[in-house]
Amino acid sequence: MSLNNPVAEILNQSGTLVLDGALATELEARGCNLADSLWSAKVLMENPELIYQVHYDYFNAGAQCAITASYQATPQGFAARGLDAAQAEALIATSVKLACSARADYLAQHPQAGKLLVAGSVGPYGAYLADGSEYRGDYQLAPAAMMDFHRPRIAALVAAGVDLLACETLPSFAEIQALVTLLAEFPATPAWFSFTLRDSTHLSDGTSLSAVIALLEQSPQVVALGINCIALEDVTAALQTLATLSAKPLVVYPNSGEQYDATTKSWSHAAAGCSLSDKLPQWQAAGAKLIGGCCRTTPRDIAAIVKCCQHQ
């Protein structure tokens, strides 16, 4: 089965693929209470129209890729709310349909927008644990059990028609290994892999990035790799490390600069002193090709990135 690479298709045209920004914290800004183990997946159950609107607003800001509201949407997480596997998979499919509907409606109004992608979010096992461990990677699960955890969501995302998978916020080398193995069960589906870091040369669990990239380089389905959900000031050094290790396009979508407390599930308003668009030239010089925002970023941030790219 041949592998389509929509990332390469866009990069061949424009040089940069602009991703969307935060979904969950944008939903919070619009009135959703996400102090919940399901986080943004809770809104799939309660207010899906709002997810559609956030996706549409990011496309309207110039984003070329929407990331689905499935980061914390797993059969295991939904089971705790009394949903069976079929109901959980239907909600995961809904996350795709909402993004695809927003894309179709935006393209109907802006047919000149070009190719727009929908990436299916595959959050780490640590996100399901809802204890902040996606920033530590200090969890253990046998490889087969890890694959069993991720398989139903990936299958539902692929069946619902995502263009690629966003295997994101990954802190654990063992989990990355399991996901690469699992990805081969879906041979027509490309993916990007993005990690959280301990420092500019190590994954959150302490594994060297050289070991991580050596693994990902072996998979033709991994069409981009990089970092997300990290502090703005840590991005450039990490990209410089990754650029020495891989020729694949680098992806980066960091947080706004505020700090997250996993215990209180709240953000502190520490001033970052800069914005994503301020850092954009540095990141591009370091090899970043897929660029967007993670927690606390907004459609305004994405519009600023788009504006910078248009003036290059």
Side-chain angles (χ1 to χ4, degrees), residues 36-39 70-80 123-134 139 141 146 149-150 153 175 265:
D36 187 283
S37 62
L38 285 177
W39 211 33
S70 52
Y71 176 81
Q72 224 142 322
T74 61
Q76 296 87 341
F78 286 131
Y125 183 71
Y128 157 69
L129 296 176
D131 61 0
S133 56
E134 61 261 56
Y139 45 82
L141 208 59
M146 187 66 82
F149 171 79
H150 283 293
R153 173 171 49 183
E175 185 164 24
K265 293 184 168 54

Side-chain angles (χ1 to χ4, degrees), residues 10-60:
I10 290 178
L11 292 180
N12 287 339
Q13 295 287 323
S14 61
T16 299
L17 196 170
V18 179
L19 307 177
D20 61 7
L23 178 64
T25 54
E26 187 66 14
L27 290 168
E28 284 184 314
R30 299 179 189 210
C32 295
N33 176 10
L34 301 188
D36 187 283
S37 62
L38 285 177
W39 211 33
S40 58
K42 171 176 178 263
V43 188
L44 283 171
M45 303 168 67
E46 296 177 354
N47 194 356
E49 298 80 10
L50 197 56
I51 294 173
Y52 162 91
Q53 190 59 53
V54 173
H55 286 316
Y56 187 93
D57 290 350
Y58 277 120
F59 283 130
N60 201 41

Side-chain angles (χ1 to χ4, degrees), residues 3-186:
L3 178 72
N4 178 41
N5 184 349
V7 169
E9 191 177 330
I10 290 178
L11 292 180
N12 287 339
Q13 295 287 323
S14 61
T16 299
L17 196 170
V18 179
L19 307 177
D20 61 7
L23 178 64
T25 54
E26 187 66 14
L27 290 168
E28 284 184 314
R30 299 179 189 210
C32 295
N33 176 10
L34 301 188
D36 187 283
S37 62
L38 285 177
W39 211 33
S40 58
K42 171 176 178 263
V43 188
L44 283 171
M45 303 168 67
E46 296 177 354
N47 194 356
E49 298 80 10
L50 197 56
I51 294 173
Y52 162 91
Q53 190 59 53
V54 173
H55 286 316
Y56 187 93
D57 290 350
Y58 277 120
F59 283 130
N60 201 41
Q64 297 161 287
C65 181
I67 303 172
T68 61
S70 52
Y71 176 81
Q72 224 142 322
T74 61
Q76 296 87 341
F78 286 131
R81 298 301 166 87
L83 277 65
D84 63 25
Q87 291 169 315
E89 287 163 19
L91 281 171
I92 294 165
T94 294
S95 76
V96 180
K97 291 169 187 169
L98 292 167
C100 288
S101 293
R103 172 176 62 182
D105 291 348
Y106 180 75
L107 284 172
Q109 297 294 323
H110 305 86
Q112 77 290 352
K115 189 174 183 68
L116 302 177
L117 304 180
V118 171
S121 175
V122 180
Y125 183 71
Y128 157 69
L129 296 176
D131 61 0
S133 56
E134 61 261 56
Y135 307 107
R136 303 188 305 269
D138 57 354
Y139 45 82
Q140 303 294 323
L141 208 59
M146 187 66 82
M147 290 171 66
D148 288 345
F149 171 79
H150 283 293
R151 186 180 288 108
R153 173 171 49 183
I154 289 177
L157 291 169
V158 170
V162 295
D163 297 298
L164 73 166
L165 298 172
C167 299
E168 56 181 358
T169 329
L170 299 171
S172 157
F173 185 50
E175 185 164 24
I176 291 170
Q177 290 174 306
L179 281 165
V180 169
T181 302
L182 180 59
L183 194 59
E185 296 180 12
F186 304 88

Side-chain angles (χ1 to χ4, degrees), residues 109-288:
Q109 297 294 323
H110 305 86
Q112 77 290 352
K115 189 174 183 68
L116 302 177
L117 304 180
V118 171
S121 175
V122 180
Y125 183 71
Y128 157 69
L129 296 176
D131 61 0
S133 56
E134 61 261 56
Y135 307 107
R136 303 188 305 269
D138 57 354
Y139 45 82
Q140 303 294 323
L141 208 59
M146 187 66 82
M147 290 171 66
D148 288 345
F149 171 79
H150 283 293
R151 186 180 288 108
R153 173 171 49 183
I154 289 177
L157 291 169
V158 170
V162 295
D163 297 298
L164 73 166
L165 298 172
C167 299
E168 56 181 358
T169 329
L170 299 171
S172 157
F173 185 50
E175 185 164 24
I176 291 170
Q177 290 174 306
L179 281 165
V180 169
T181 302
L182 180 59
L183 194 59
E185 296 180 12
F186 304 88
T189 302
W192 79 63
F193 277 62
S194 56
F195 335 115
T196 61
L197 303 180
R198 177 173 297 183
D199 55 45
S200 63
T201 58
H202 294 87
L203 204 62
S204 290
D205 71 358
T207 304
S208 71
L209 286 181
S210 58
V212 177
I213 304 312
L215 170 69
L216 296 179
E217 286 287 299
Q218 297 172 30
S219 173
Q221 288 177 258
V222 179
V223 296
L225 55 87
I227 46 181
N228 77 289
C229 210
I230 72 169
L232 279 179
E233 61 267 24
D234 297 337
V235 169
T236 302
L239 286 172
Q240 290 167 340
T241 298
L242 291 170
T244 68
L245 299 172
S246 177
K248 293 181 187 284
L250 299 184
V251 57
V252 56
Y253 46 117
N255 297 334
S256 65
E258 298 171 66
Q259 300 298 313
Y260 182 65
D261 185 322
T263 303
T264 62
K265 293 184 168 54
S266 64
W267 292 86
S268 63
H269 293 267
C274 64
S275 66
L276 273 69
S277 55
D278 292 332
K279 293 283 192 180
L280 185 69
Q282 285 181 35
W283 299 345
Q284 290 178 313

